[in-house]
Each structure stands twice: as C-alpha cells, then as structure tokens.
C-alpha cells in the first residue's frame, strides 16, 4: 500500500484528492508514491497529519441537501482527530490551526509553580 492509498482511505470521508496529497510532500517530506512499509511509522503519521491539517481549514461545504438526500461533515471531530494524532505521534500541533478550528489546548504549566 502506498502512502497515497493509506491517506485516501483514512480520510475518505473528506474526499481527499491528489492535490491534497501534495501537502504530505511539501510539509512532511514524504513522497506519496512510496510504499508504506518502506517508511518509518512517524513519517507516515506526519504525512497524514499534514494532509488533515490542510483539510481542516480549507473552504468547503459542511453539508449538502438535495432532493431528500442530505450529507454533512463534522469538522470538529476532524480537528479532534488531528489533535489526537499529533499527541499520539509526538508532533507539535499547530496552535493557530486548533484555534481557528475552535479547539482550545491546555498545557501543563505545573512546573512553573
């Protein structure tokens, strides 16, 4: 499985296209045509995180309704997923992105007391 296939499958609900995958190369330095098994897991995670970060703030419709058919996306959950991935892989989350997505972050400042 390539990095491209992996990211498209993980984020299939958001309709990831090839142009979105350029972010994985630009920001994470991962070539999306590489086989996922040939990379370190952290590199694959960084590629996924970079694509998800770009998707979070990209202007797009959040719900569609037509002829009795309705579909909507919960971008708050996507932002929470981004935050969780960053924490899980030890990647610093983009604070500006989290703020724009409406998520607050609490930092441990107990060492300052």
């Amino acid at each position: 499985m390539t990095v491209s296939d992996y990211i498209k499958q993980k984020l299939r609900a958001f309709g990831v296209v090839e142009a979105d995958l350029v972010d994985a190369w630009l920001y994470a330095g991962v070539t999306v045509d590489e086989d996922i098994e040939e990379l370190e897991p952290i590199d694959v995670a960084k590629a996924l995180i970079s694509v998800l970060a770009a998707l979070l703030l990209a202007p797009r419709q959040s719900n569609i309704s037509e002829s009795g058919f309705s579909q909507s996306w919960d971008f708050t959950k996507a932002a929470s997923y981004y935050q969780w991935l960053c924490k899980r892989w030890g990647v610093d989350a983009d604070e500006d992105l989290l703020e724009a997505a409406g998520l607050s972050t609490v930092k441990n400042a107990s060492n300052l007391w």
Side-chain angles (χ1 to χ4, degrees):
M1 174 183 281
T2 66
V3 174
S4 173
D5 294 336
Y6 175 76
I7 292 173
K8 284 181 182 177
Q9 287 181 29
K10 290 294 281 188
L11 302 177
R12 69 185 168 275
F14 296 101
V16 174
V17 296
E18 294 298 320
D20 295 320
L21 296 173
V22 171
D23 293 326
W25 174 70
L26 288 174
Y27 302 116
V30 173
T31 304
V32 295
D33 293 330
E34 290 184 71
D35 191 291
I36 198 169
E37 293 179 10
E38 295 176 9
L39 296 170
E40 293 294 321
I42 186 68
D43 293 330
V44 177
K46 285 179 181 179
L48 177 63
I49 289 167
S50 66
V51 172
L52 183 57
L55 289 173
L56 282 174
L57 298 179
R60 60 181 77 229
Q61 294 178 325
S62 61
N63 63 44
I64 298 172
S65 180
E66 183 178 316
S67 300
F69 173 78
S70 179
Q71 186 172 10
S72 61
W73 294 270
D74 186 351
F75 286 96
T76 305
K77 291 284 187 189
S80 296
Y81 182 53
Y82 166 80
Q83 194 173 28
W84 176 80
L85 280 173
C86 289
K87 190 176 208 177
R88 179 177 185 189
W89 289 100
V91 175
D92 291 332
D94 184 327
E95 298 296 325
D96 293 333
L97 183 142
L98 292 175
E99 183 179 331
L103 290 180
S104 62
T105 58
V106 178
K107 295 183 180 179
N108 182 357
S110 61
N111 63 334
L112 300 176
W113 293 314

